[in-house]
Amino acid sequence: MTITQFIRQRKVAVAKELLIACESSTIEISELLSFSSQSYFIKTFKDLTGTTPQYFREHFFDQHLHL
């Protein structure tokens, strides 16, 4: 794993926590985590999780209720 891959994974992990814990928009989260743009944040999030940040936020609790 390269340092860039590690940083991307950590940023997405923090983004997941923020999506669950607060009402910040995806643009606010992308800026907070120093992504170059909201679209790059969404693309990176989807590449690493298989879902968009908005879908993750809307369905997180549903997914955990069915575990």
Side-chain angles (χ1 to χ4, degrees):
M1 175 184 299
T2 67
I3 188 70
T4 302
Q5 291 170 325
F6 175 79
I7 291 168
R8 286 177 65 212
Q9 285 183 351
R10 291 301 308 142
K11 285 183 175 184
V12 168
V14 172
K16 285 178 170 182
E17 292 175 17
L18 292 170
L19 288 165
I20 295 164
C22 70
E23 297 292 323
S24 297
S25 68
T26 55
I27 195 161
E28 292 169 329
I29 292 171
S30 68
E31 289 173 355
L32 179 68
L33 296 175
S34 300
F35 280 91
S36 58
S37 68
Q38 179 183 12
S39 61
Y40 182 65
F41 166 61
I42 293 169
K43 179 188 180 317
T44 301
F45 192 95
K46 188 169 185 177
D47 287 347
L48 294 178
T49 66
T51 187
T52 65
Q54 188 64 36
Y55 186 89
F56 177 84
R57 175 179 268 164
E58 291 171 357
H59 294 90
F60 174 79
F61 293 109
D62 292 343
Q63 292 170 0
H64 281 74
L65 291 174
H66 294 99
L67 290 179

